[in-house]
Amino acid sequence: LAFYEKTGNQDALAMAEKTLEQLFRGGIFDHVGGGFSRYSTDTQFCIPHFEKMLYDNALLILAYCKAYSLTKRALYREVALRTASYVLKELALSSGGFAAGQDADGPGGEGSFYAFRPQEVHRVLGSADAEPFCIRYHIIEPGNFHGASIPNLLGGALPEDRLSQSLAKLYAYRLARERLPLDDKVLTSW
């Protein structure tokens, strides 16, 4: 984005936009709770290493805000807001600082916090809302991660506003199902 700003090179802007959109579409972005995992463990960016770090999310907020300021594309604004919301909800400490990160391993093992089975989604949302959600976010049998699925938008259209209530319900369900430990050291340089 900085190279585009400096030179006006449209190829640079197109490459940056493709990268930002694909990061959002993949499982590296937490479609249910917001925020980004550190990196992907596969070439499709579907299965992340599930640890979420403050510094990664802070830098990605800046990148999506810059992309929005240059293109006015609503997707970039939405991703920046959802990522900032994640940081404020999950990483903010009562002391006023921010935790350095959120661990990858929860009580159910690595990734269990983020993965869903279709029957879980049906139980939480009901069939009428679960069916379009599972199709849109690729929640399928046999799953893409140890028998469950990491929600992603790699195979289809961007999310619809009508699915936002489903995301909120699944987020509340996920928080009640298990909690991830925080790396609660505060690093002021982050």
Side-chain angles (χ1 to χ4, degrees):
L1 293 171
F3 184 74
Y4 167 74
E5 280 187 301
K6 192 182 287 189
T7 65
N9 183 304
Q10 291 297 316
D11 289 338
L13 179 61
M15 287 182 349
E17 284 199 83
K18 177 73 171 175
T19 300
L20 292 173
E21 183 172 324
Q22 291 306 109
L23 281 171
F24 166 71
R25 284 179 175 276
I28 197 168
F29 181 76
D30 177 3
H31 292 278
V32 173
F36 287 87
S37 295
R38 292 188 77 185
Y39 55 86
S40 178
T41 63
D42 68 334
T43 58
Q44 291 80 36
F45 278 67
C46 186
I47 309 301
H49 171 66
F50 297 96
E51 185 176 33
K52 290 182 182 177
M53 301 302 293
L54 175 63
Y55 65 90
D56 291 327
N57 283 280
L59 291 172
L60 284 163
I61 291 167
L62 293 174
Y64 281 93
C65 285
K66 176 57 82 175
Y68 176 71
S69 75
L70 293 172
T71 67
K72 301 302 184 230
R73 191 168 170 209
L75 172 68
Y76 303 138
R77 180 181 180 274
E78 179 66 21
V79 175
L81 288 171
R82 289 189 61 199
T83 304
S85 177
Y86 158 74
V87 169
L88 292 171
K89 286 189 301 190
E90 301 283 338
L91 299 180
L93 301 172
S94 60
S95 63
F98 291 94
Q102 195 171 33
D103 289 348
D105 297 331
E110 183 176 350
S112 64
F113 181 76
Y114 298 102
F116 292 95
R117 289 180 166 74
Q119 55 270 34
E120 276 182 294
V121 176
H122 280 264
R123 192 171 55 248
V124 174
L125 300 180
S127 292
D129 290 333
E131 200 60 38
F133 185 90
C134 286
I135 291 168
R136 181 61 53 101
Y137 288 96
H138 204 238
I139 309 296
I140 59 168
E141 292 290 350
N144 57 24
F145 183 76
H146 302 298
S149 295
I150 305 300
N152 69 82
L153 296 167
L154 292 170
L158 294 173
E160 300 172 0
D161 287 341
R162 70 186 178 94
L163 295 177
S164 63
Q165 287 182 337
S166 295
L167 290 169
K169 286 179 184 175
L170 284 170
Y171 177 71
Y173 166 76
R174 187 173 79 181
L175 289 177
R177 183 174 68 177
E178 64 180 280
R179 284 287 204 174
L180 291 175
L182 287 179
D183 176 355
D184 60 3
K185 68 179 166 284
V186 175
L187 303 172
T188 58
S189 64
W190 287 6

